[in-house]
Amino acid sequence: MRRIFPLVASAVFAGGLAMSVQANAAGKPIRIGFDTPIQLQVGKDTVAAVKMAVDEINAKGGVLGRKLEYVTADEGTDPQLGVSAINKLTSDDHVNVLIGGYDSGVTLAEEPHIARSKTIWLGVGAASPNITALVGKHYDRYKYIFRVNPLNSALQASQIVDFATHVVKGKLHRDKVAILGESAVWVRGLVPVLVKGLEAHGMKVTYQQLFDESMTDFTPLFARVKDSGAKYLLIILSHANSDVFVKQLYEARLPMPYGGIDVKSMTPNFCSRVNGDAVGETTVNFITRAPITKKTIPFWDKFVKENGRAPVYTAPGAYNAVYLYAWAVRKAGTTSADKVIKQLEKADYLGVAGKIKFDKVHDDLDGPGYQNLLFVQWQKNCERAVVWPKSVATGKVVLPSWVANK
């Protein structure tokens, strides 16, 4: 009896201690850390969308009886700053999950530190396929990485080819294309896929050039595009000075319409900011005020009401990421990363821009019902119209005035 009693007492004590720890965990807030370039519009909208989702979930009682709270760190567009942001959030702030990302080069530098911290990261802004490729190559180390938004650049290239085939070639009858883009990691991965796809669909790429993101005089490039015989200009811009690019293109009066990816043109005041020079530009987006899903318009209207502006593409991604993580934690019954990961891998979640489901490397899927590119054109009076896909179109593509009048 003397030998047994201490063991029983110890077991009772340990059980009580475990219950105490569980009780404390139950009341402790779940911490969301977001790494984002907070000085840029993509970062500001990430912050605003996370706040909106957190407030909504907390108003309904939180998750597993615990409130959500968030902490931010500025990753800027510099890999060293990004690594510092991740280390702050994981080591100092002890967050349960990370949401963010924008610059693919920064995200790639952050990944080893995310993996070492064993913290789930839900990407909402960076597009390089290399980000999630690491999950396939070294699953046990990088299983914490998921891309909620946007589609990776290879999938984006495929959908741009679809637009070019059906609209540029099919409706505008233009089969010679030039490509201008910034020399960024995600663009260098996108262009070869884009060229291959265009050529496979009977289109000819007459000229292609990637330029430094700091470039401010684009007129020589426009002259080369014109001399190449191109009939449509595809652009791929994110960090580059889109305001200057569009103004100079307008002044050059290239005898062709243009469009593609122009992240800064996604902002609702872009067209008016360049004095209407963007009218005629078609740019991809991931959300607009259209009934893409039953959640789209309510999200859009509330975001506009709370922030006084329309959201850019990182906003729906960040909003979805918070809700998706909350859903997975409820399913797992815990914030344990390994158990939450298993639930995320099973997710088939309806977000504000389509369903979210992950493939084997934790990349978000595209296709009917899932998140897809929207091709949105600046039209008369700087109004925006969705011109592709046909299923959600709110208008027809129009030519820039200087092209239409020739």
Side-chain angles (χ1 to χ4, degrees), residues 111-289:
E111 277 193 277
H113 302 270
I114 296 169
R116 187 159 48 246
S117 73
K118 298 184 178 180
T119 305
I120 293 170
W121 180 85
L122 303 176
V124 301
S128 172
N130 293 334
I131 293 168
T132 49
L134 288 170
V135 179
K137 293 177 181 177
H138 308 286
Y139 177 83
D140 287 339
R141 184 179 180 190
Y142 289 101
K143 62 186 177 182
Y144 308 95
I145 305 296
F146 291 80
R147 192 193 332 259
V148 175
N149 183 75
L151 297 176
N152 74 46
S153 55
L155 293 178
Q156 291 188 44
S158 177
Q159 294 200 10
I160 292 171
V161 169
D162 185 61
F163 167 77
T165 302
H166 290 90
V167 179
V168 176
K169 182 182 178 183
K171 294 182 180 298
L172 301 180
H173 309 294
R174 296 169 180 266
D175 59 3
K176 295 180 180 179
V177 177
I179 300 171
L180 292 180
E182 62 188 43
S183 184
V185 172
W186 70 280
V187 181
R188 293 195 294 271
L190 183 152
V191 170
V193 180
L194 183 58
V195 172
K196 184 177 180 180
L198 291 170
E199 292 177 343
H201 286 81
M203 302 182 76
K204 181 179 180 180
V205 178
T206 62
Y207 179 75
Q208 56 177 301
Q209 182 65 52
L210 301 185
F211 53 82
D212 190 88
E213 297 169 3
S214 62
M215 190 171 187
T216 56
D217 183 6
F218 302 97
T219 50
L221 293 180
F222 296 150
R224 292 174 198 143
V225 168
K226 182 179 179 181
D227 291 344
S228 75
K231 300 301 180 184
Y232 192 91
L233 173 60
L234 277 173
I235 62 173
I236 310 168
L237 313 174
S238 179
H239 303 282
N241 194 328
S242 296
D243 297 52
V244 173
F245 184 96
V246 167
K247 279 180 169 293
Q248 291 181 359
L249 192 150
Y250 176 83
E251 292 166 359
R253 297 295 199 275
L254 278 179
M256 65 191 74
Y258 72 104
I261 299 174
D262 184 355
V263 172
K264 292 183 174 67
S265 186
M266 295 179 186
T267 57
N269 68 341
F270 180 78
C271 185
S272 59
R273 195 168 74 219
V274 296
N275 300 317
D277 291 351
V279 170
E281 179 188 26
T282 301
T283 184
V284 305
N285 214 320
F286 288 89
I287 190 168
T288 189
R289 195 183 185 282

Side-chain angles (χ1 to χ4, degrees), residues 69-82:
E69 64 179 27
Y70 54 87
V71 186
T72 184
D74 186 5
E75 70 171 14
T77 55
D78 174 73
Q80 189 171 3
L81 186 58

Side-chain angles (χ1 to χ4, degrees), residues 285-340:
N285 214 320
F286 288 89
I287 190 168
T288 189
R289 195 183 185 282
I292 303 169
T293 77
K294 63 183 181 181
K295 297 180 179 180
T296 312
I297 292 177
F299 163 80
W300 181 281
D301 289 349
K302 185 172 182 179
F303 187 96
V304 171
K305 182 179 180 180
E306 291 191 358
N307 298 283
R309 63 179 185 274
V312 298
Y313 81 102
T314 52
Y319 183 85
N320 285 334
V322 175
Y323 269 97
L324 183 60
Y325 178 73
W327 170 87
V329 169
R330 289 191 186 101
K331 285 286 186 180
T334 177
T335 56
S336 168
D338 285 345
K339 293 182 179 179
V340 173

